[in-house]
Every structure is written in structure tokens, then in C-alpha cells.
């Protein structure tokens, strides 16, 4: 019951992160210092991706890469910012799910250890009880031997030997 609700909550967080990312994108270009920062990020990203594409397609890489115009750089940067935000929310949800699963597995493992320990203690207790009963049987055999009752009680034969069956003729 909890797992489906948790998965539904994770999906809701991911879905809600998209409008938040859109809002961030809309507000990102308005602040002058932040605008300049994202323009620099966009220009760096443009240079990097263009260089990688040129290397992949075996084009000349020593050619100067023209910078993006300011509006295109802002648009690319806010798109990148929105994608990074949505991706980071998804990564956080995955990390949360992995940690939750890990804690659940640790609890199950601890329960298994406790169960095994309880079984071990029970086994030891039963072993001590068997040893105590063996001692009592030996004491009874000793007392019977001292009193001459071994022929009447047949302790020795019932404990240590199988009764001998008559051979069929």
C-alpha cells in the first residue's frame, strides 16, 4: 500500500518540477547579473558542443566559433537551466528511492539475523536439555545397576541396542 503511494508521490514531484522549471526560465533573464552569468554559461556550452560536433564529424576544429547573439544565448541558457532542474529533481527522486529500498533491505536483514540468533539460542537450549536428560538416564541406569534391577528394567538394551528379532525359518 505504501509503495504505490510513494511512487505516485515521486511522479507528482517530477510532474510539478516542469512548471517550476518554466517559471525559473521566465525569471532567469530578468536579473542583470544572473543574465550575464547565464549568457556566459550558454556561450561556453555553445563552444563546447560545436567543438564536439566538429570532432565527431571530422571537420576542422581550429576554425573560430562565432558566439551566439545575446537573446539566443539567454534562451539556450534558460532552456539548459530548466532541463538541469528537471533532471536534478529526477535524480533526487531516484536517490531517495534507492536509499528507501536500502533501508528496507537493511531492516529485513536485521530481522533475519535476529531470527537466526533466536533459532541458535533455542538450539543451544535444546542441546543442554538433551545432555541433562542423558545424564539423568545414566544416573537412573547406575542406580538400577546398584540395586540389581537391570534385568527387570532393561535400561541398557532399550537405550543402546536395537532389539534382536528372531530369524525367520
Amino acid at each position: 500500500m505504501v509503495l504505490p503511494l510513494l511512487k505516485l508521490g515521486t511522479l507528482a514531484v517530477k510532474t510539478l518540477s516542469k512548471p517550476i522549471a518554466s517559471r525559473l526560465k521566465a525569471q532567469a533573464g530578468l536579473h542583470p547579473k544572473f543574465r550575464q552569468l547565464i549568457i556566459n554559461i550558454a556561450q561556453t556550452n555553445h563552444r563546447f558542443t560545436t567543438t564536439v560536433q566538429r570532432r565527431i564529424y571530422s571537420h576542422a576544429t581550429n576554425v573560430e566559433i562565432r558566439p551566439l547573439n545575446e537573446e539566443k544565448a539567454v534562451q539556450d541558457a534558460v532552456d539548459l537551466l530548466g532541463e538541469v532542474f528537471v533532471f536534478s529533481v529526477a535524480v533526487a527522486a531516484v536517490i531517495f528511492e534507492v536509499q528507501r529500498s536500502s533501508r528496507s533491505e537493511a531492516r529485513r536483514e536485521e530481522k533475519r539475523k535476529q531470527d537466526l540468533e533466536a533459532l541458535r539460542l533455542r538450539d543451544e537450549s535444546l542441546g543442554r536439555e538433551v545432555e541433562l536428560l542423558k545424564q539423568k538416564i545414566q544416573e537412573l541406569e547406575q542406580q538400577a545397576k546398584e540395586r540389581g534391577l537391570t534385568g527387570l528394567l532393561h535400561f541398557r538394551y532399550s537405550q543402546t541396542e536395537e532389539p534382536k528379532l528372531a530369524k525367520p525359518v
Side-chain angles (χ1 to χ4, degrees):
M1 181 66 182
V2 174
L3 188 62
L5 291 177
L6 189 63
K7 297 238 184 231
L8 187 61
T10 304
L11 182 62
V13 167
K14 287 180 187 177
T15 304
L16 290 174
S17 70
K18 291 177 184 176
I20 293 171
S22 296
R23 177 93 177 174
L24 278 173
K25 287 165 57 172
Q27 295 294 318
L30 298 179
H31 191 268
K33 288 183 180 179
F34 189 67
R35 182 180 174 91
Q36 188 56 46
L37 175 70
I38 63 174
I39 288 173
N40 292 339
I41 291 172
Q43 295 295 357
T44 303
N45 185 43
H46 172 67
R47 282 190 301 274
F48 176 74
T49 56
T50 304
T51 303
V52 169
Q53 285 177 350
R54 286 181 179 178
R55 286 185 180 161
I56 289 173
Y57 296 121
S58 301
H59 294 279
T61 56
N62 58 354
V63 178
E64 183 181 349
I65 300 171
R66 289 180 300 169
L68 297 171
N69 67 36
E70 193 170 305
E71 288 307 312
K72 176 72 172 147
V74 169
Q75 185 59 41
D76 285 355
V78 295
D79 287 344
L80 181 63
L81 180 66
E83 290 175 18
V84 165
F85 180 75
V86 171
F87 181 74
S88 63
V89 168
V91 166
V94 167
I95 289 171
F96 173 76
E97 184 68 26
V98 167
Q99 286 180 342
R100 188 194 61 76
S101 175
S102 175
R103 285 191 303 266
S104 175
E105 182 62 33
R107 281 193 297 270
R108 280 194 297 264
E109 183 64 27
E110 184 61 31
K111 175 78 168 104
R112 272 187 240 127
K113 284 181 181 179
Q114 289 175 352
D115 290 347
L116 283 173
E117 182 65 18
L119 287 173
R120 186 187 63 76
L121 291 174
R122 183 172 173 240
D123 186 44
E124 287 177 2
S125 172
L126 289 173
R128 285 190 300 269
E129 200 171 325
V130 165
E131 288 300 319
L132 183 63
L133 290 173
K134 282 181 182 179
Q135 268 185 335
K136 287 183 179 182
I137 288 173
Q138 286 176 351
E139 289 173 10
L140 286 173
E141 285 177 346
Q142 184 64 30
Q143 288 176 358
K145 191 183 238 185
E146 289 173 358
R147 293 184 184 167
L149 299 176
T150 53
L152 294 175
L153 298 177
H154 300 290
F155 280 124
R156 178 73 56 198
Y157 295 116
S158 65
Q159 275 297 316
T160 59
E161 296 181 6
E162 292 288 325
K164 296 183 181 175
L165 299 175
K167 290 184 182 180
V169 180

